[in-house]
Amino acid sequence: MGKMTKLLDKPLKAFTIYAFVILSLSIPAYYWVVETVWQKELDEHNLIIKERIVSQLQNLLLTQAQFDSVTHIWNVLQSGTRIFPENQPFKKSDSTYLVMRKNKHKKHTEIDRFRGLASHIHFKGKRYSLWIETNVEEADEIVYIISVVSLFFFVLLALGFIFLNRTIAQKAWRPFEKTLEQLKSFDLSATETIDFEKTEIQEFEDLHNTLQKMLYAAISAYKQQKTFIENASHELQTPLAILRSKVDLFYQLPELNEAQLQVLEGIEKPLARVSRINKNLLLLAKIENHQFENVEILDVGGMINDILELLQDYAESKNLRIQVRLEARPDIRGNKFLIETLLYNLLTNAIRYTSEEGEIVIFLDSQQLYVQNTGIISLNPAHIFRRFSVSSSEQVSSGLGLAIAKEICHRYNWKMGYAFDMNKHQFKVLF
Amino acid sequence: MKILIIEDEKELAYAMGAYLADENYLCELAFTLEDARQKLACHTYDCVLLDLMLPDGSGLDLLATMNHQQRLEGVIILSAKNSVEDKVKGLQLGADDYLPKPFHQSELLARIYSVIRRKNFNNLNTVQFEEIEINLLSKNVKVNDQEINLTRKEFDLLVFFISNKNKVISKSALAEYLSGDIADMFDNHDFVYAHIKNLKKKLLEVGGNNYLKTLYGVGYKWEK
């Protein structure tokens, strides 16, 4: 699975990228607009200055000598304009230009940009050049300022998007998030449907209705299955009890010969197996039906020792070495019968599947319990906790022991796991 | 000894009656709660075997009535429900034992034996079988007045055999008696043989007779 994106972040990302592109494109556009307007304005400004100079000079009625000294002083004082005799023989018409120049009057060497008007005036029949220059902001400064402003607005936009997104998420999507939460915590075995909150959004209401229908169907199928198993195994109890009592009676018939007795024994064994399967199915159904609610504080270490005493005969007949390591004696809260069943199943399993002369380690501390036994190949961890998965070829197993153990752990929110390492099976319960 | 079997499954009731019927036990059958009430009104019994799910009501109600009337019968509940709640409730209402179905007849007989003994011989807990004397409370065994040392399992086996005398008991029934529910998890019940061998040896060592007959390695019979 790749990186997951939240539904709401998708448009947010797109909006943000779009805003960024548009604002970036706006920078040259703004530059062009500002530059054009500015130059036009400055050209007009320069022209006005020129006209004022021309009209003022005519009004002054200067002599040639006066004019020369005035223009000289003018050129010194008014650095923005220069008037000087024209040398070129040809007549140039008015023109505008841009020039970059160092500012002579400032100490630091800053380069300024000027917009100029190269024109001419006539005095006493002579042509004079008139240059008027006005300081204009440099291009890079304009771009810089526009960029800063654009960036500022972009940040404003992005923040706005995120804020709006959050607000929308919290408001409009809240029912959806809630539904999702409820679905995540849904537990089929609790057989309780979910009450979805009423929403005013059509799609969500549709979603809720559809989900409700599906949940009802799933729950009723699950209930039916459970009731079926419970009823079926209940119904089987009585005929099994009759069968067993009849076999016991049969043993009492006078003068049974060896062959007859062996047939009887052959009947008794599968009968015991059916009884156990049935008992376990009933137990599983009961655990799933949330029976055994009584909880008490249990000394698991003591229970392990009690069970091992019961199993001692079986362990001894296989010459198993059993090592019990009770590092701590935690008080575990649980139903006595269920915890006993869990321990029984784990321990009988270990004893049954360990080959002769094998070793079993039982470890208990406040966090975990594990049962380790020697083995040759790993079991399939994906299958062992399923019903009837391991033992179809086994003679006496019910195939339900580990499924029951897992179900009991599930009841108390304990984690049950299996591992195979260095020729050892390990079944572990994390409290 | 009179025993009332209250069980609506007739086949099961007959089978129990047939197994129990020897010189010591006289069985009467009741298939409904009403039937059982009438029988209890007219007679007293040594032990009542009570199924909990009866067609006309729950056996627990009858048990409550009997408890109220302070009747002296020992009561063993037989239940297919195998529920912890029923067991606790039944024992609280004065039942003496609880046996989940399906069970071995020999197990039932052993339970009846111990219930009757507890009820009839208040505090006198000794059982005499020929030269063997068993104290059920202190778990001491004497043969010809000579005390012998038995392990818990050997002791349990001895009591089991004596309460089932003249019955053929299969090896798997013995295994189930010794190790409870888990016996059917294992297919090898040879350890039963080892315990029986030790028990026999200890009894013979102090001059006891051999009452135990082995039937082709399949079952055992304690014969008088």
Side-chain angles (χ1 to χ4, degrees):
Chain A
M1 211 158 59
K3 201 171 156 264
M4 300 291 283
T5 325
K6 278 186 120 184
L7 176 66
L8 280 164
D9 290 344
K10 277 229 137 136
L12 176 68
K13 212 168 149 191
F15 283 149
T16 313
I17 291 170
Y18 181 69
F20 183 76
V21 169
I22 292 297
L23 285 174
S24 304
L25 286 177
S26 77
I27 294 172
Y30 278 132
Y31 170 72
W32 181 80
V33 169
V34 168
E35 190 78 349
T36 316
V37 169
W38 204 322
Q39 284 181 14
K40 225 170 153 189
E41 205 53 41
L42 287 178
D43 288 345
E44 228 167 81
H45 170 81
N46 288 350
L47 215 60
I48 288 169
I49 289 176
K50 177 202 156 188
E51 272 155 20
R52 207 172 57 213
I53 292 170
V54 169
S55 79
Q56 298 290 354
L57 273 177
Q58 269 160 7
N59 289 345
L60 278 175
L61 300 170
L62 298 170
T63 62
Q64 182 65 47
Q66 276 175 318
F67 178 79
D68 285 343
S69 73
V70 164
T71 51
H72 177 72
I73 294 165
W74 177 278
N75 287 343
V76 172
L77 289 181
Q78 274 287 3
S79 58
T81 44
R82 278 203 309 146
I83 300 168
F84 52 92
E86 206 165 65
N87 308 327
Q88 288 96 332
F90 53 90
K91 287 180 181 172
K92 257 171 79 183
S93 60
D94 287 6
S95 66
T96 54
Y97 62 90
L98 276 168
V99 68
M100 306 293 291
R101 186 186 308 128
K102 273 189 194 165
N103 192 332
K104 284 174 256 171
H105 314 293
K106 285 188 183 164
K107 273 184 186 150
H108 57 97
T109 54
E110 195 180 274
I111 293 173
D112 288 322
R113 189 167 73 135
F114 297 89
R115 179 71 179 173
L117 172 69
S119 185
H120 55 269
I121 50 172
H122 295 270
F123 187 75
K124 312 242 185 228
K126 261 176 96 179
R127 250 175 86 95
Y128 290 85
S129 286
L130 170 66
W131 287 12
I132 304 170
E133 286 179 353
T134 313
N135 184 281
V136 51
E137 201 63 44
E138 291 80 49
D140 56 343
E141 272 175 25
I142 294 176
V143 171
Y144 173 72
I145 287 165
I146 289 175
S147 299
V148 167
V149 172
S150 290
L151 189 71
F152 171 72
F153 278 106
F154 171 73
V155 169
L156 219 58
L157 264 180
L159 287 176
F161 282 154
I162 291 168
F163 173 73
L164 283 176
N165 210 46
R166 284 242 176 98
T167 321
I168 291 168
Q170 273 165 9
K171 283 199 182 136
W173 287 94
R174 189 183 291 150
F176 182 76
E177 302 265 355
K178 184 126 195 260
T179 306
L180 214 56
E181 241 3 88
Q182 282 174 309
L183 283 177
K184 272 184 197 160
S185 61
F186 177 69
D187 178 13
L188 184 59
S189 61
T191 63
E192 264 170 39
T193 183
I194 300 174
D195 281 326
F196 294 111
E197 221 167 69
K198 207 135 184 68
T199 95
E200 279 159 16
I201 295 167
Q202 180 74 46
E203 285 88 342
F204 290 162
E205 200 54 32
D206 279 355
L207 179 72
H208 287 176
N209 290 335
T210 317
L211 281 174
Q212 204 101 51
K213 267 186 212 152
M214 283 170 61
L215 289 177
Y216 268 127
I219 288 170
S220 87
Y222 181 76
K223 272 187 183 161
Q224 263 173 29
Q225 182 209 329
K226 272 201 319 190
T227 339
F228 174 76
I229 292 175
E230 196 170 357
N231 288 345
S233 43
H234 236 144
E235 289 302 313
L236 279 171
Q237 286 290 68
T238 308
L240 280 172
I242 295 172
L243 208 55
R244 192 172 250 203
S245 65
K246 298 286 178 189
V247 170
D248 286 339
L249 265 186
F250 208 123
Y251 271 115
Q252 312 312 321
L253 294 180
E255 305 302 321
L256 289 178
N257 62 32
E258 186 175 3
Q260 290 165 326
L261 281 169
Q262 257 151 18
V263 170
L264 271 181
E265 194 184 31
I267 292 173
E268 222 180 354
K269 275 187 177 166
L271 190 58
R273 191 179 174 206
V274 175
S275 301
R276 165 149 289 269
I277 292 175
N278 201 48
K279 225 185 268 174
N280 280 343
L281 274 178
L282 199 56
L283 176 60
L284 208 50
K286 279 178 179 172
I287 297 172
E288 283 172 350
N289 277 330
H290 290 262
Q291 296 186 25
F292 310 110
E293 292 291 349
N294 279 345
V295 166
E296 52 192 299
I297 289 171
L298 302 166
D299 168 26
V300 173
M303 289 166 86
I304 289 174
N305 284 331
D306 290 348
I307 292 168
L308 282 176
E309 205 185 309
L310 269 176
L311 290 168
Q312 195 187 5
D313 282 325
Y314 298 99
E316 277 172 5
S317 69
K318 287 174 99 173
N319 268 332
L320 303 179
R321 287 185 308 278
I322 299 185
Q323 193 193 338
V324 185
R325 287 168 57 198
L326 305 177
E327 304 278 305
R329 301 280 288 249
D331 290 326
I332 300 291
R333 280 176 61 81
N335 179 281
K336 185 163 187 239
F337 177 74
L338 290 186
I339 305 306
E340 231 168 48
T341 307
L342 171 69
L343 296 172
Y344 261 130
N345 288 353
L346 288 178
L347 297 179
T348 47
N349 224 42
I351 290 176
R352 223 169 52 199
Y353 291 110
T354 311
S355 45
E356 287 199 13
E357 313 283 331
E359 190 180 10
I360 294 174
V361 178
I362 299 153
F363 178 94
L364 175 75
D365 67 12
S366 52
Q367 270 110 46
Q368 60 175 339
L369 160 76
Y370 66 73
V371 178
Q372 238 177 19
N373 65 306
T374 37
I376 299 158
I377 46 162
S378 173
L379 305 167
N380 185 344
H383 291 155
I384 42 171
F385 295 112
R386 282 200 207 146
R387 300 173 190 188
F388 303 117
S389 70
V390 191
S391 56
S392 43
S393 62
E394 276 293 325
Q395 278 283 306
V396 283
S397 153
S398 74
L400 290 168
L402 286 174
I404 289 174
K406 177 127 199 187
E407 196 61 42
I408 292 171
C409 288
H410 177 74
R411 154 82 68 98
Y412 295 113
N413 288 325
W414 297 339
K415 238 187 111 194
M416 171 135 202
Y418 166 78
F420 184 79
D421 188 30
M422 309 202 352
N423 282 339
K424 280 201 156 87
H425 300 287
Q426 188 187 66
F427 288 91
K428 189 188 258 184
V429 177
L430 288 173
F431 300 126
Chain B
M1 299 276 179
K2 274 174 75 187
I3 294 177
L4 177 62
I5 302 172
I6 308 169
E7 165 67 65
D8 63 322
E9 275 307 321
K10 290 185 182 166
E11 279 301 319
L12 190 57
Y14 291 140
M16 286 193 279
Y19 193 89
L20 297 175
D22 65 20
E23 67 263 35
N24 273 334
Y25 296 108
L26 186 69
C27 297
E28 278 189 42
L29 308 182
F31 302 124
T32 63
L33 213 53
E34 191 45 46
D35 208 1
R37 283 210 174 93
Q38 280 175 14
K39 287 203 159 76
L40 281 168
C42 309
H43 310 280
T44 56
Y45 299 87
D46 294 290
C47 187
V48 174
L49 307 181
L50 178 62
D51 183 21
L52 287 188
M53 284 191 295
L54 293 162
D56 51 347
S58 165
L60 286 174
D61 295 339
L62 182 69
L63 192 59
T65 320
M66 288 175 72
N67 192 31
H68 188 68
Q69 293 169 348
Q70 298 184 311
R71 295 191 65 115
L72 295 171
E73 282 94 351
V75 177
I76 299 174
I77 293 174
L78 313 173
S79 174
K81 261 171 95 182
N82 196 9
S83 97
V84 184
E85 288 80 23
D86 276 357
K87 183 176 177 178
V88 171
K89 211 169 165 192
L91 295 180
Q92 274 172 355
L93 284 172
D96 297 276
D97 209 343
Y98 180 98
L99 191 56
K101 289 179 190 171
F103 48 78
H104 279 290
Q105 301 287 335
S106 47
E107 174 85 41
L108 176 65
L109 206 45
R111 305 269 187 124
I112 292 172
Y113 186 80
S114 99
V115 164
I116 289 178
R117 224 128 292 262
R118 250 185 288 160
K119 286 273 167 184
N120 287 3
F121 308 99
N122 273 340
N123 302 324
L124 182 70
N125 288 295
T126 44
V127 173
Q128 188 79 41
F129 180 86
E130 303 294 313
E131 72 274 17
I132 305 169
E133 190 191 307
I134 304 167
N135 188 321
L136 294 172
L137 203 69
S138 64
K139 310 224 163 183
N140 285 332
V141 177
K142 285 179 185 167
V143 178
N144 296 325
D145 285 328
Q146 194 180 341
E147 194 158 329
I148 55 169
N149 237 332
L150 297 182
T151 64
R152 193 179 64 78
K153 276 170 184 165
E154 288 157 8
F155 179 85
D156 287 347
L157 274 175
L158 181 61
V159 175
F160 192 70
F161 280 131
I162 286 175
S163 60
N164 274 288
K165 56 178 179 277
N166 296 323
K167 298 283 183 199
V168 176
I169 303 166
S170 66
K171 212 156 72 177
S172 56
L174 282 174
E176 202 171 314
Y177 175 72
L178 284 183
S179 47
D181 232 10
I182 48 174
D184 52 12
M185 299 283 282
F186 298 91
D187 50 359
N188 185 352
H189 293 151
D190 288 346
F191 70 89
V192 173
Y193 175 71
H195 287 304
I196 288 174
K197 211 175 85 183
N198 290 338
L199 172 64
K200 241 162 134 179
K201 205 174 115 197
K202 285 181 183 174
L203 290 173
L204 292 175
E205 268 172 6
V206 286
N209 291 309
N210 183 18
Y211 300 101
L212 198 63
K213 198 176 147 193
T214 310
L215 297 160
Y216 311 108
V218 174
Y220 297 91
K221 192 172 178 181
W222 186 271
E223 272 181 332
K224 194 174 176 178

